[in-house]
Amino acid sequence: MTGTTDLAEAVCADDGRLEGVDLRVLAQRLGTPLHVYSAPAIGARIRALQTALRGQDALICYAVKANSNLAVLGLMADAGLGADIVSAGELQRSLRAGIPAGRIVFSGVAKSADEIGDALAAGIGRFNVESKDELRLLQDVAAARGAVARASVRVNPDVDALTHAKISTGKSENKFGVGIDEAREWFADSTRLTHVRLDGLHVHIGSQMLCLDPIQLALQRVAALWRELTSSGYAINSIDVGGGLGVRYRDGQDQPVSVQDYAEVIRKTLDGFGGRILLEPGRWLVAEAGFLLTRVLRIKQGRQRRFLVVDAAMTELVRPSLYDAWHEIVPILRRPLPPQIYDVVGPVCESSDTFAVDRQLPPCEPGDLLMIKTTGAYGAAMASNYNSRPLAVEVLLERGRYAVVRRRQTLEEMIAGEQPARNWECA
Ligand code: LLP
């Protein structure tokens, strides 16, 4: 049951247990909505990727944005992973979790001077630079600190990732990276960079990719640039292949690529590259290890539809509202009765607060516990306090035991920092 790479098997919903922990007891003790993460399932994914990359000089830099809980980051740190960060907040989380600064890469289109300064002070490994303006800023901030920043240019290879438009990043119309021509110019001008060592290439074309072709095409374009730059005398010491590996959200429909095939594409396209390969997987490492537990509040028969009203909302899992994403929903107790059709909806006052439309489920009753699957990535990490809902509790599971890794937010914590308008000041 544990340690398998087929994370679905980590769940044994038939007896209401996950990693040997009784989910009904957990829900009773901690309340719902409740995020649970299987530590062995995350560990199995880490090991599978490390094994697939064996023999290559590769460093996995976990994309912190997928799930930034300190305990999850701790698992990454323990396994020797680095981190891909996009903010000063993610930098601090990664350092606190014990990820060495030298294994941290900093991506993102809007790094501020302060964030760059913090990252330089911490001694991070590399900046993935996304615009000429950012390159100039990096040079200035590094010069002011008397430091030399290592940097890669994020190349936008103009490749369609064949995924949802809202999570595509590698087409020229997207805000990310720079075109290959511009990347070439950066190297030509790089002698003027006294405090930036531009010696790497970075690419990330999108997320939830279920096909290797776009990844291969993007890497081929990056590899051609690396070869060209090398033959022009520029040293390229690092190629960052980004993240984006997809996972199975919909049983019987989504077919994730094998990690061995993925590693093989990297090995083949970058054949002959003597530097270090960086990878930035987020979702693939954590998505299938996470589950959102929610209780049925009531069943509401509308004029046209039957609503299963649950206590989780878009505030705990926004993916269905934002991307029309499919997540499997499984009642913990399955009544052996003919299924019913429900729209599964949350308490938030938005029609888009809907987890599923026309979903066939075993008949449910108020008080039933449901498990929404594949919520380990971009679930809690994208949570909000909308409708003044406190952030949900998060729990790590392993071998019959659990640890609360984020307690449920209290009302006081939620409103901390707010105050009546008393101390007016002029500006
Ligand atoms: N590297 C960079 C530069 C990224 O922007 C991302 C994700 C990753 C790595 C990790 O990608 P992954 O391996 O997780 O696919 N909220 C969306 C996903 C947004 C992804 C943003 N960037 C969702 O819930 O589907």
Side-chain angles (χ1 to χ4, degrees), residues 47-337:
R47 281 191 302 280
L49 186 53
Q50 286 174 329
T51 305
L53 292 166
R54 201 167 281 159
Q56 305 196 53
D57 179 8
L59 176 67
I60 303 167
C61 296
Y62 167 65
V64 172
K65 62 174 82 68
N67 185 327
S68 51
N69 185 286
L70 285 175
V72 171
L73 296 179
L75 297 175
M76 306 299 168
D78 291 347
L81 269 56
D84 163 47
I85 60 160
V86 290
S87 68
E90 288 191 352
L91 171 65
Q92 295 309 329
R93 279 178 179 275
S94 304
L95 294 173
R96 272 197 210 189
I99 295 175
R103 292 191 194 150
I104 296 178
V105 297
F106 195 170
S107 306
V109 292
K111 301 175 194 81
S112 69
D114 283 348
E115 285 177 314
I116 290 174
D118 286 356
L120 284 171
I124 70 156
R126 185 166 285 279
F127 292 81
N128 290 328
V129 181
E130 307 229 13
S131 64
K132 211 176 268 176
D133 183 67
E134 184 195 331
L135 185 60
R136 249 179 260 127
L137 181 64
L138 182 59
Q139 156 76 16
D140 291 349
V141 178
R145 304 186 66 91
V148 175
R150 295 193 81 155
S152 299
V153 49
R154 176 165 178 179
V155 172
N156 181 324
D158 197 19
V159 170
D160 186 346
L162 305 177
T163 183
H164 193 287
K166 288 190 181 166
I167 51 175
S168 290
T169 53
K171 289 285 288 171
S172 52
E173 72 234 35
N174 299 128
K175 69 179 174 183
F176 300 98
V178 301
I180 287 177
D181 287 346
E182 185 174 334
R184 217 176 259 127
E185 286 169 23
W186 286 19
F187 282 92
D189 291 346
S190 60
T191 45
R192 286 194 294 180
L193 297 170
T194 49
H195 291 77
V196 175
R197 184 155 154 213
L198 187 66
D199 65 349
L201 302 175
H202 172 230
V203 68
H204 171 78
I205 59 169
S207 200
Q208 184 52 16
M209 289 184 281
L210 294 171
C211 167
L212 283 172
D213 296 347
I215 298 179
Q216 181 164 340
L217 184 56
L219 289 188
Q220 280 165 346
R221 291 189 181 166
V222 168
L225 181 60
W226 146 57
R227 290 201 173 91
E228 177 197 318
L229 289 168
T230 307
S231 61
S232 307
Y234 300 106
I236 302 296
N237 295 313
S238 166
I239 296 183
D240 184 330
V241 303
L245 269 194
V247 299
R248 180 175 294 119
Y249 283 104
R250 193 163 183 173
D251 292 345
Q253 190 156 318
D254 294 340
Q255 293 296 342
V257 303
S258 95
V259 73
Q260 290 81 8
D261 291 347
Y262 175 59
E264 189 58 17
V265 164
I266 295 172
R267 202 188 55 72
K268 273 205 185 123
T269 48
L270 301 186
D271 188 33
F273 177 60
R276 170 160 273 202
I277 297 168
L278 303 179
L279 297 93
E280 301 171 344
R283 186 190 318 262
W284 193 83
L285 293 176
V286 292
E288 292 180 43
F291 304 83
L292 175 58
L293 298 185
T294 182
R295 227 178 254 292
V296 176
L297 293 173
R298 59 183 54 91
I299 292 153
K300 173 173 173 178
Q301 181 59 59
R303 274 175 60 199
Q304 297 189 26
R305 322 186 65 83
R306 181 182 296 132
F307 298 103
L308 194 61
V309 185
V310 299
D311 65 1
M314 63 196 291
T315 44
E316 288 74 49
L317 179 69
V318 75
R319 304 192 69 259
S321 315
L322 206 50
Y323 319 115
D324 290 320
W326 176 285
H327 285 259
E328 297 291 345
I329 301 175
V330 186
I332 300 288
L333 169 76
R334 291 181 219 176
R335 295 192 178 79
L337 294 169

